[in-house]
Amino acid sequence: MIQSGAHGSFLGRLTLPLEQGRVISHTHELPEINAGIEPDAALQTRIDAALEPFAALNEVVGTTETGLHRLSSVECPADDFLLASLQALVPADLYFSNGWRYGAPIAPGPMLLNDLYDLVPMDPEIETVELTGAGLHLMLEKNIEGTYSQNPLHQMGGYVKRALGLKAYFKVENPQGSRLQAVFVQGLALDPARTYSAAFITS
């Protein structure tokens, strides 16, 4: 048995017949884990006992009318929600979060405290920093390269940095350092000489 997919969505079974110590063929099954699968009672009892000290994570803390996910590489509802939450707490020109692929999607309906930890697991502090327009441009170019580099060894393993207060037009197919076509902060063209305030969690 092997882990396939993420968040316990699939259970992989890879079969490798051997002859004289050599693999002669292989078959792969990918059964989906769904509500129709009956849990093993003894194992479920052990899981319930292990989770008991964390029962507070099941507290309902709000509701969402739309699904919150991180399934797209540039923008996504989960980080739109996260950035709007930062904006409600800290005044700034710009808000950033990492292009995480972390966290299971949150379905429409009641939101649990555990769902919030699925968005940001380590409860970091909100930081603020000042960035020049030129520095911001450089940071965005570097981040886009880390996501879309033609050399897979240069890709950082995440998505484009999420932003609120910023609109950027870029061409993925352009060479490194020349993808950004236009950048706007609060609706105004990015000024390389101006200093902007930014709030973020995790560097």
Side-chain angles (χ1 to χ4, degrees), residues 5 28 31 52 54 67 69 74 89 93 120 126 134 143 157 171 174 195:
H28 180 250
E52 193 172 343
F54 309 101
H69 66 79
V74 178
L89 294 170
D93 298 315
V120 184
I126 301 171
N143 185 244
K171 292 186 176 180
N174 278 11
T195 298

Side-chain angles (χ1 to χ4, degrees), residues 22-104:
R22 295 178 65 100
V23 176
I24 57 169
S25 66
H26 70 277
T27 57
H28 180 250
E29 300 170 61
L30 193 63
E32 182 180 357
I33 305 300
N34 56 47
I37 294 177
E38 201 62 41
D40 179 85
L43 182 57
Q44 188 63 55
T45 299
R46 292 175 63 189
I47 292 171
D48 292 343
L51 293 177
E52 193 172 343
F54 309 101
L57 293 176
N58 293 321
E59 176 191 353
V60 175
V61 292
T63 59
T64 176
E65 295 180 2
T66 186
L68 303 177
H69 66 79
R70 288 187 167 126
L71 303 177
S72 49
S73 64
V74 178
E75 280 188 279
C76 65
D79 285 303
D80 289 346
F81 168 68
L82 175 60
L83 293 170
S85 301
L86 296 183
Q87 186 181 43
L89 294 170
V90 177
D93 298 315
L94 297 161
Y95 301 86
F96 290 107
S97 72
N98 285 335
W100 285 308
R101 297 180 185 181
Y102 176 87

